[in-house]
Amino acid sequence: MRIEAEDYLEAAKDRLTDAHRLYSIERYAFSLYAAGLSVESILRAYRAYVNPEFDERHDLQRLLTASAFRNFVTSEEYEKIKSALGIVHPLWQNTYRFASEGRVKRHLIMLKRDRGIRGDFVKENCRIVIKAAAGILKIGVSKWPHP
């Protein structure tokens, strides 16, 4: 099955919806994964729109560069995207799709993302990533070059 640019765009929106729903039922590890996947999907949408041949795998920073996102948004919007990606990138891994809640929790502890957070730090990190992902998608969807 070939995935087209518009398919990635729709998947990005779907995965962000999934992230919100999973968050609401306290499935934070998979919510975190879905939020990151929504970002990967919007970047892949732009990359596929520009050139369907690519191999940036799951590296969000490389996908941002390869996507030519910069050519579709204002300088201010691009800075917002880069800033939000700076939040998502270190807190998301494609391998989270295989990880248990406990494994994601241990990974966040290793990243010292439990420091200074009262209560459930996995929940809080998930909320932060969802918010950043939503910001990226808001710009990406609004600037999508409709055929």
Side-chain angles (χ1 to χ4, degrees):
M1 174 173 65
R2 182 174 168 85
I3 306 294
E4 304 292 336
E6 290 77 15
D7 297 320
Y8 284 120
L9 177 70
E10 291 306 312
K13 294 185 279 187
D14 289 349
R15 294 304 77 81
L16 187 60
T17 298
D18 293 342
H20 284 289
R21 288 181 179 157
L22 288 160
Y23 184 89
S24 73
I25 61 169
E26 300 179 2
R27 297 298 310 265
Y28 304 124
F30 211 64
S31 175
L32 185 60
Y33 172 72
L37 190 57
S38 72
V39 172
E40 180 179 9
S41 296
I42 193 73
L43 295 176
R44 283 179 175 269
Y46 276 86
R47 178 62 176 126
Y49 183 82
V50 172
N51 180 358
E53 302 300 322
F54 61 97
D55 187 29
E56 282 74 28
R57 305 250 176 213
H58 306 288
D59 185 323
L60 300 181
Q61 297 289 359
R62 286 183 59 206
L63 272 169
L64 177 62
T65 301
S67 71
F69 220 133
R70 177 187 298 267
N71 299 334
F72 296 93
V73 299
T74 66
S75 297
E76 181 180 315
E77 290 168 327
Y78 191 71
E79 289 305 312
K80 286 180 182 177
I81 290 166
K82 284 186 357 185
S83 177
L85 193 63
I87 293 167
V88 175
H89 186 257
L91 296 177
W92 178 78
Q93 292 191 4
N94 186 50
T95 55
Y96 278 0
R97 70 182 188 242
F98 305 114
S100 67
E101 295 282 328
R103 180 64 187 104
V104 171
K105 184 176 185 175
R106 290 190 305 276
H107 185 249
L108 291 173
I109 290 169
M110 184 193 76
L111 295 174
K112 300 181 177 156
R113 296 297 302 192
D114 58 330
R115 309 286 165 86
I117 297 175
R118 291 185 176 176
D120 189 335
F121 66 88
V122 178
K123 177 181 180 179
E124 178 60 9
N125 280 282
C126 183
R127 185 194 66 76
I128 290 167
V129 170
I130 290 173
K131 182 178 177 183
I136 293 169
L137 262 67
K138 181 178 179 183
I139 295 169
V141 170
S142 72
K143 296 294 184 161
W144 183 250
H146 301 287

